[in-house]
Amino acid sequence: MTHEVFNQVPPLEGHDLADDPALLEGLEREGAGWAAAELHELGRLAGTRRAQEWGRLANEHPPVLRTHDRYGHRIDEVEFHPAWHELMNVAVTHGLHAAPWADGREGSHVARAAKFYVWRVDAGHGCPISMTYAAVPALRRSPELARQYEPLLAERTYDFGLRPPLTKTALLAGMSMTEKQGGSDVRANTTRATPQPDGTYRLVGHKWFTSAPMCDVFLALAQAPGGLTCFLVPRVLPDGSLNPMRLMRLKDKLGNKSNASSEIEYENAVAWRVGEEGRGVRTIIEMVNMTRLDCLIGAAAGMRQGVTMAAHHAAHRRAFGAYLADQALMRNVLADLAVESEAATVLMTRVAGATDRAVRGDEAEAAFRRLAVAVGKYWVTKRWPAHAAESLECLGGNGYVEESGMPRLFRESPLNSIWEGSGNVAALDVLRAMAREPQSVEAFFGEVRAAAGADARLDAAARELKDSLADPATIEVRARRVVERMALVLQGALLVRYGHPAVADAFCASRLAGDWGAAFGTLPPGLELAPIIDRATPKLG
C-alpha cells in the first residue's frame, strides 16, 4: 500500500501532432491545403508510442564510428541504432528531404515545411534530411551535376549504405564548410583543391564540423587556384572505392545525440566543382539559406513540443487542491508560452510560403524572404532555449528527469541558434542585406504595412523600428536590438492579420507595448487566456 500511484500525468501519446491550429491555418493560407491529409497521417504517427520510442532509442544509443574493419582496412563507417533508420525512412518516404524540388505543385515547399515541423519525435535525424533539401539549389549552379544527382536526392526512398552514388536508388547530401581556425569565417578555410587533367579536383584539408558523415555526397568549400570554391564530394567513387574522406572522430555534443557530427580529413579526395572558381560562398549560400529556414522551422517545432508537453501536464496534475491548468499563475505561464509558440509558427509558415513563391520566380517574395529568413532565424532560435527551460519547469521535478523527454528537448534547444551562423552572424547578415538589397527592406516593411491600422500598439512599434534604422553610425553595435525588434514587429503584423484575436492581443500587449516582465508568465491582467491555452493543449485520441 506504500506504492499506490496517483496524481501522475498519463503519457502524452495517441494524439495528432498536426492538430495545431496555427500550423493548419498557415498551411491553408500559404497554398498547401492540399497536403493536409498527408500531414495528419504523419502527425498521428508522430503521436504514437512506437514513434516516440524510436526517438528515445536513437538518442540513448548514439552513432558509433568504425574507422577500420577487423583486418585493419580503412572503412570509415558510422553505425546507427535501428531506430535511427526507422526515423529516416519515415522522413524520406514522406518527402521531408528534397522531394519539393521534384514536385511542381504550388505550395510544395510549404507542405514540406509543415511535415518537417510535425515530425519532431527526434531532432537529430533532421540534419541530413535538411541538408539534402538544401543542397539542390546550390547544386543547380552546375546543371550537368544537377541533372545526374537531383532526381536521386528527391527520390522518396531511403537507401542507406556506402555505394557509388549513381548506382543507388536514392541519395542523401551533407555539407562540409567549417574549419577549426575559421568557424563561421569560411573565407579563412585552408583546405586546398588542385585541378586535375580530367576536370576533377583533389582536396586536401581538415574540416572541423561535417555533420551526418554517412551521407552519400557532400558540398564542401576549398581553396582552388581561382579562390574559395564549392565542390561536390562523394563518399564512394564510381569504381566502388572509398573516396579518401577520413572520419577522424565523432563530436561529443551537448544534444542532438542521435546525429553523427564528425571531424574529417580530406587526403586527396576526388571532387567535382560546383559553380565557378572563386564563387564558393555565393554558391553554397544557396544551401545555407535553405538550412536557415529549417533552423527556424525546427525551433518553432521545438517550442510547440515544449508548450504542448507543459499544457498536457498542467491539465492532468493537481496541486494545492486544483489542477495546475486552472490556477491563475500557471495559466499565465502556459498562455505566455503558447503566444511565443504561435508567433514562431505563423512566422515560419509565412517564410515557407515566401520560399515556395521565390523558387517559382516571384521577385517580391524573394526580396521579402531575404530578410525574413535571417530575422526569423535569429530571433526564434534565440527564444527557444528560454522557452524550453520554462516548459520544463512547468513539470517541476518530473521535467528534470530524463524519462519525461524534457531534458532532451532542453539540450537540443541551443543548437539551431548556433547552426548556420550564431547570433552575431545572423544579426550582421540582416544589416548587410538591408545595405546591399534595399528592395528587401521595402518588402519587409510592405509586409508590416499590410497590417497598418489594425492595432495601435503594432503601428507604434513599426514607427519606432523605422526610426531605429536612421542612425547608421551605431547600427552595428545595436544590431541584435534592431533585428529583435524587426522580428517582433513582423510577428505582430502576421498575428494581427492571421492569428487568433486573443493571441494577437496578448502578443501586442506584451512584446510590442512592453507590458511584460523578463520571464515567461508575466502577461498583463485582463487578457483572454482560455482560447490561447486551449489551442496549445493536445487532444488525446
Side-chain angles (χ1 to χ4, degrees):
M1 296 300 293
T2 61
H3 198 67
E4 181 184 358
V5 177
F6 61 97
N7 196 29
Q8 288 294 314
V9 176
L12 180 50
E13 54 191 41
H15 61 301
D16 179 0
L17 271 72
D19 186 17
D20 178 339
L23 177 68
L24 295 174
E25 292 158 8
L27 188 77
E28 188 69 37
R29 184 174 63 247
E30 300 297 336
W34 50 265
E38 187 180 0
L39 184 66
H40 281 293
E41 175 191 335
L42 186 62
R44 287 189 292 270
L45 176 59
T48 63
R49 178 181 297 182
R50 177 172 55 123
Q52 292 175 22
E53 274 294 284
W54 290 339
R56 182 185 68 82
L57 290 169
N59 280 272
E60 291 191 3
H61 303 276
V64 177
L65 174 61
R66 307 292 187 195
T67 57
H68 296 77
D69 68 12
R70 60 180 291 193
Y71 304 106
H73 301 118
R74 189 93 198 203
I75 56 174
D76 288 307
E77 291 186 348
V78 182
E79 183 179 286
F80 291 87
H81 189 277
W84 164 273
H85 298 296
E86 296 283 4
L87 294 164
M88 290 291 292
N89 184 59
V90 170
V92 171
T93 56
H94 280 81
L96 277 63
H97 61 324
W101 301 106
D103 188 341
R105 289 176 292 182
E106 179 183 349
S108 60
H109 290 267
V110 180
R112 180 260 169 193
K115 288 185 282 188
F116 193 76
Y117 173 101
V118 163
W119 185 239
R120 56 178 180 260
V121 293
D122 165 69
H125 82 289
C127 179
I129 295 298
S130 177
M131 292 190 295
T132 303
Y133 170 65
V136 170
L139 195 60
R140 287 179 174 178
R141 293 296 183 106
S142 288
E144 180 57 25
L145 291 176
R147 183 189 65 78
Q148 296 178 76
Y149 288 94
E150 186 177 324
L152 295 172
L153 293 170
E155 178 62 42
R156 291 195 184 200
T157 302
Y158 178 53
D159 186 3
F160 182 80
L162 295 180
R163 300 189 300 283
L166 297 181
T167 69
K168 298 185 68 175
T169 58
L171 301 176
L172 295 172
M175 186 194 305
S176 192
M177 291 174 58
T178 58
E179 298 181 4
K180 54 184 175 289
Q181 78 287 347
S184 295
D185 182 11
V186 295
R187 293 189 185 277
N189 282 6
T190 60
T191 296
R192 302 187 310 278
T194 305
Q196 304 298 304
D198 64 358
T200 64
Y201 289 71
R202 296 295 182 271
L203 270 53
V204 175
H206 188 123
K207 293 293 183 180
W208 191 239
F209 262 99
T210 298
S211 280
M214 73 292 165
C215 288
D216 301 290
V217 295
F218 294 82
L219 292 186
L221 290 179
Q223 299 287 356
L228 193 63
T229 304
C230 182
F231 295 93
L232 180 73
V233 186
R235 281 295 313 276
V236 182
L237 296 173
D239 65 3
S241 63
L242 285 179
N243 206 1
M245 171 181 158
R246 307 303 189 198
L247 276 55
M248 308 308 291
R249 60 171 173 161
L250 299 185
K251 300 290 191 177
D252 187 6
K253 299 168 293 182
L254 169 67
N256 206 245
K257 295 288 190 179
S258 68
N259 179 42
S261 296
S262 66
E263 191 173 331
I264 70 167
E265 289 186 356
Y266 292 125
E267 298 179 1
N268 282 310
V270 179
W272 283 262
R273 179 168 50 84
V274 180
E276 301 174 26
E277 276 197 10
R279 298 176 72 83
V281 173
R282 185 179 290 267
T283 299
I284 210 165
I285 202 68
E286 303 275 2
M287 185 175 190
V288 170
N289 282 333
M290 288 296 177
T291 48
R292 283 179 175 172
L293 170 61
D294 280 5
C295 289
L296 168 58
I297 298 170
M303 287 190 195
R304 176 67 181 181
Q305 184 177 4
V307 70
T308 55
M309 292 169 74
H312 173 73
H313 180 88
H316 294 89
R317 177 77 167 176
R318 294 180 65 87
F320 310 109
Y323 285 106
L324 292 175
D326 294 332
Q327 299 181 27
L329 189 53
M330 179 57 82
R331 292 177 65 77
N332 195 314
V333 173
L334 293 174
D336 210 355
L337 290 170
V339 167
E340 193 75 28
S341 171
E342 290 215 22
T345 301
V346 73
L347 177 57
M348 177 275 289
T349 54
R350 176 65 184 94
V351 175
T355 298
D356 191 85
R357 289 182 280 276
V359 164
R360 299 172 199 285
D362 189 322
E363 293 184 3
E365 286 290 88
F368 168 72
R369 183 192 181 278
R370 176 67 184 90
L371 272 188
V373 73
V375 167
K377 193 273 185 188
Y378 170 83
W379 181 241
V380 175
T381 62
K382 273 268 180 277
R383 294 298 292 157
W384 186 16
H387 192 279
E390 196 68 59
S391 298
L392 184 156
E393 192 173 325
C394 288
L395 276 65
N398 290 330
Y400 204 66
V401 173
E402 284 291 339
E403 290 171 314
S404 71
M406 279 293 194
R408 175 153 59 96
L409 184 70
F410 181 69
R411 287 192 300 269
E412 191 69 33
S413 63
L415 173 61
N416 287 23
S417 184
I418 297 168
W419 192 26
E420 302 302 13
S422 52
N424 285 357
V425 173
L428 293 173
D429 185 50
V430 173
L431 299 191
R432 279 192 296 272
M434 290 195 293
R436 296 175 182 175
E437 304 172 41
Q439 67 272 23
S440 67
V441 182
E442 175 55 34
F444 179 90
F445 280 102
E447 190 75 17
V448 174
R449 280 196 302 273
D455 190 290
R457 297 162 297 188
L458 172 61
D459 293 342
R463 288 193 298 270
E464 291 168 6
L465 172 61
K466 274 205 164 185
D467 291 343
S468 74
L469 302 180
D471 181 11
T474 65
I475 199 164
E476 183 171 333
V477 75
R478 294 185 293 113
R480 285 183 174 228
R481 182 176 294 193
V482 168
V483 177
E484 173 181 324
R485 205 62 181 166
M486 290 176 73
L488 291 172
V489 167
L490 180 57
Q491 286 180 321
L494 294 172
L495 285 172
V496 165
R497 292 175 69 192
Y498 307 125
H500 189 284
V503 176
D505 184 34
F507 185 92
C508 291
S510 55
R511 278 73 168 168
L512 298 182
D515 194 356
W516 196 35
F520 285 103
T522 53
L523 293 173
L527 297 172
E528 190 180 5
L529 303 186
I532 301 175
I533 297 170
D534 180 68
R535 286 164 67 90
T537 304
K539 314 301 189 288
L540 301 186

